[in-house]
Amino acid sequence: MSTIARIDTATAVLPLPAPLQLGAMTVVRREYSAVQVTAEDGTTGVAYCLSREAPMAEIVDRLVAPHTVGADADDPAAAWERMLRGSAIVGRVGLVRRALGLVDIALWDIAARRAGMPLWKLLGTGDAPRESMLVAAYPSADRAPREVADEVLAQAAGWTNVKISRIPDPAYMRELLAVLSAELPADTRPVVDVGFGWPDAPTALAEIAQWGDPQLAWLEDPLLPEDAAGVARIRRESGLAVAVGDEVTDPAVLKALVEVGGVEALRLDVVALGGVTPAREMIAWATERGVPVSGHVYPEVTAHLGIGVETFARGVNPYDPAPSFILGGPSFEGLVRPTDATGLGFALDPAVFRFERD
């Protein structure tokens, strides 16, 4: 048996060419945290996440790593339980759960690498192409709806869904959604991400009523995810499909979104939820209830989980620099196919993430 010998962390801050507005949030840069976990035999696993400006590396170093070193490198689920219980006083949900998720993903990378197979094979999810969603555009007041629509349309071919963020201007949204409904390929549907931007269901419904008749795959994150009853009301009174779950760290909140909110799709953030270990349980739970699961970013990981995959444009794009520092990973040709390489099948650019060693 090989055990986990060490965990190293790194943080990278990458600028954006222009600020992004999503709900009440303004994003002017992307900060990422990453871990590199090393087993006694030298096998390494990696994972990364959007830090959201939280001290993720410090949380890993102080609250998660001490409970991980010495764990069985071939049993990530047992290591997850060890990490959870070791940090349970402060970390069953929230930032510590995110840090736990970061390490758990790297542990699964190690386990699959040691088994000599891709993670999807170890998990038994198969390598069939996954439904896909491209984060295509962030509208802004200084760009005309036609310009934003053209940006989306230029990228849309082959993708299951294309996502835009909501701008709090109903007339703008009405014009933009009308163009997309008329001109998108027949097999590609738009998604509008509200980014938790509405305070309550009545406010949401009043604005949606001014959008015309948008033909959406779903409306995403209209309210804070804890407001499952409000989500149910938006679904019922707007007639739109709704998907919620981004950034959720508490499995009970996701279950309420299904049982009370009645969401048409459950959004799952594999890092926020605590990693591959609890994500597998949540995916199985949702599948038993006939609810499809859509991954929130991190396509290099979610492609192995057998669920819908979300990605920004690969290579350089103006919204998320992550594709520029990923080496390897799945193939992105509309539908997303997981890699056949061992483990997660990707590496992090060492020029971006410099893991400190003694």
Side-chain angles (χ1 to χ4, degrees), residues 13-354:
V13 178
L14 301 178
L16 294 175
L20 306 179
Q21 194 69 39
L22 182 59
M25 301 167 283
T26 301
V27 181
V28 298
R29 66 180 193 169
R30 297 287 197 184
E31 182 181 86
Y32 304 89
S33 297
V35 297
Q36 180 175 269
V37 180
T38 305
E40 281 183 321
D41 67 354
T43 306
T44 60
V46 297
Y48 76 97
C49 72
L50 287 158
S51 74
R52 304 302 192 193
E53 305 296 324
M56 296 306 302
E58 183 178 1
I59 294 171
V60 169
D61 291 338
R62 296 181 61 179
L63 297 175
V64 178
H67 308 295
T68 312
V69 172
D72 185 347
D74 295 321
D75 194 349
W80 189 88
E81 186 71 17
R82 175 172 166 164
M83 292 187 292
L84 179 71
R85 293 192 174 277
S87 62
I89 292 175
V90 292
R92 295 184 301 280
V93 296
L95 291 177
V96 179
R97 182 105 175 186
R98 287 174 176 270
L100 195 155
L102 199 58
V103 174
D104 178 79
I105 290 166
L107 291 174
W108 279 99
D109 191 15
I110 286 176
R113 289 178 187 274
R114 283 175 47 82
M117 63 182 68
L119 181 57
W120 60 261
K121 190 169 186 178
L122 184 65
L123 298 176
T125 56
D127 65 343
R130 313 326 192 188
E131 288 196 350
S132 60
M133 180 160 65
L134 177 70
V135 184
Y138 284 72
S140 60
D142 61 350
R143 301 176 65 200
R146 180 74 246 185
E147 179 185 350
V148 175
D150 286 343
E151 179 185 6
V152 176
L153 294 168
Q155 306 174 78
W159 296 95
T160 309
N161 299 320
V162 287
K163 184 160 79 172
I164 61 171
S165 61
R166 162 229 177 213
I167 184 171
D169 179 340
Y172 187 112
M173 290 298 296
R174 183 185 183 101
E175 182 178 347
L176 174 56
L177 291 171
V179 174
L180 293 179
S181 296
E183 299 184 25
L184 277 171
D187 55 355
T188 300
R189 300 185 68 192
V191 167
V192 174
D193 185 358
V194 183
F196 317 125
W198 287 314
D200 51 47
T203 303
L205 289 164
E207 187 170 320
I208 292 167
Q210 300 175 69
W211 286 2
D213 183 25
Q215 303 299 306
L216 302 183
W218 63 66
L219 180 72
E220 188 168 297
D221 292 329
L223 306 175
L224 291 175
E226 291 76 12
D227 188 1
V231 168
R233 181 176 174 186
I234 291 172
R235 290 180 54 254
R236 184 172 62 251
E237 297 186 22
S238 73
L240 295 176
V242 177
V244 188
D246 291 12
E247 314 288 353
V248 171
T249 65
D250 186 348
V253 172
L254 293 180
K255 289 182 177 181
L257 287 166
V258 172
E259 294 173 335
V260 178
V263 292
E264 278 75 15
L266 188 65
R267 294 279 291 164
L268 184 147
D269 185 317
V270 64
V271 174
L273 191 61
V276 171
T277 300
R280 295 178 74 196
E281 296 178 5
M282 183 56 62
I283 293 165
W285 182 89
T287 300
E288 288 175 358
R289 288 153 180 80
V291 179
V293 180
S294 170
H296 174 231
V297 295
Y298 315 122
E300 303 81 14
V301 181
T302 56
H304 290 276
L305 302 181
I307 62 176
V309 178
E310 173 183 76
T311 183
F312 288 82
R314 308 314 294 174
V316 177
N317 72 77
Y319 305 127
D320 185 3
S324 68
F325 61 65
I326 299 295
L327 309 176
S331 63
F332 298 89
E333 298 172 359
L335 298 180
V336 177
R337 183 182 290 276
T339 177
D340 288 328
T342 58
L344 286 169
F346 77 93
L348 300 172
D349 187 341
V352 176
F353 293 100
R354 302 180 184 276

